[in-house]
Amino acid sequence: MRNIALTLMYDGTAYHGWQVQKRDVTVAETLEKALSTVLNHPVKCIGAGRTDAGVHAEVYVANFRTDSSIPCDRLPLAVNSRLPGDIVVTKATEVPLDFNAIGSCIQKEYTYRIYNSRIRNAFLVDRVWFYPKRLKVDVMQAAADHFVGTHDFACVRSVGTETKTTVRSVRYFNISQDGAMISCRVCADGFLYNMVRAMVGTCVYASEGKLSPDDIPALLEGKNRTAAGPTAPPQGLYMTKLWYPIPGLP
């Protein structure tokens, strides 16, 4: 028995997230069907994390077990020939049997992209949050700084997935602007459901003057989701980095 980790990327526009669902087409289902065809047996993939409908991944890792002897260097081309163009496997790596794409991940980075312009960009449809009202990046960063550290993030968590604890450690939350594009990079040891999108929405609220950056510590302490900013739309969110203690993986 072999344990294979796939590094892949995908445009999530056409999918109802990563996780297999009964009625909706998902990234995991599509990948598992392609792998099953190549390997001639049913395949179950474990993904690095849940991404919601419309969310993208520039880097993603999923692992599966197989008795097949197909070399890892041949797997990407074989699987890609059976995948739609919006999902691409870039690498296959044989890993220890106890490796798990989600459980073995040390930390993750998501990047949220906002196109801050009065005129939308036709080539960025379903790729960014188009936001025509001018945003103040310095104010957004001042708000973002308060999220860094170990906190209970219940105030920026949407109901949907049960977890043992809502405490997480955010390593950094950096907001930068290049022309009309605002990039919000968040790295943590784990994320709650819609956590990044709610954090970004709260920073946008701060830019609009609907709350002060200095209100963030009280929001975290209060654990009240309705007191924080809105959940930013999914199309601006990308999984961009993953950290594993295994050579050859991101």
Side-chain angles (χ1 to χ4, degrees), residues 103-147:
S104 302
C105 189
I106 298 170
Q107 60 185 21
K108 307 170 188 176
E109 179 196 80
Y110 282 94
T111 300
Y112 194 94
R113 296 181 175 128
I114 303 171
Y115 192 69
N116 191 208
S117 171
R118 293 180 64 188
I119 306 296
R120 64 169 47 89
N121 186 319
F123 292 99
L124 295 177
V125 174
D126 295 326
R127 304 289 189 279
V128 296
W129 181 11
F130 170 64
Y131 200 89
K133 185 178 178 181
R134 181 177 173 273
L135 291 171
K136 302 172 184 176
V137 173
D138 58 336
V139 177
M140 293 177 67
Q141 184 64 67
D145 288 342
H146 287 293
F147 286 112

Side-chain angles (χ1 to χ4, degrees), residues 59-183:
V59 176
Y60 194 89
V61 171
N63 72 289
F64 65 92
R65 296 186 177 227
T66 182
D67 287 323
S68 171
S69 60
I70 297 177
C72 283
D73 59 353
R74 295 185 182 180
L75 265 177
L77 286 176
V79 177
N80 286 337
S81 67
R82 292 162 175 82
L83 284 171
D86 50 10
I87 303 175
V88 178
V89 174
T90 59
K91 188 177 182 181
T93 307
E94 187 161 355
V95 291
L97 289 177
D98 62 354
F99 174 87
N100 178 299
I102 188 167
S104 302
C105 189
I106 298 170
Q107 60 185 21
K108 307 170 188 176
E109 179 196 80
Y110 282 94
T111 300
Y112 194 94
R113 296 181 175 128
I114 303 171
Y115 192 69
N116 191 208
S117 171
R118 293 180 64 188
I119 306 296
R120 64 169 47 89
N121 186 319
F123 292 99
L124 295 177
V125 174
D126 295 326
R127 304 289 189 279
V128 296
W129 181 11
F130 170 64
Y131 200 89
K133 185 178 178 181
R134 181 177 173 273
L135 291 171
K136 302 172 184 176
V137 173
D138 58 336
V139 177
M140 293 177 67
Q141 184 64 67
D145 288 342
H146 287 293
F147 286 112
V148 178
T150 301
H151 307 286
D152 188 323
F153 286 92
C155 75
V156 285
R157 174 215 182 183
S158 297
V159 176
T161 303
E162 293 302 318
T163 57
K164 293 180 180 178
T165 175
T166 50
V167 174
R168 297 290 185 273
S169 294
V170 172
R171 316 295 192 201
Y172 58 79
F173 188 178
N174 299 327
I175 301 179
S176 60
Q177 185 166 13
D178 182 6
M181 188 69 74
I182 296 174
S183 297

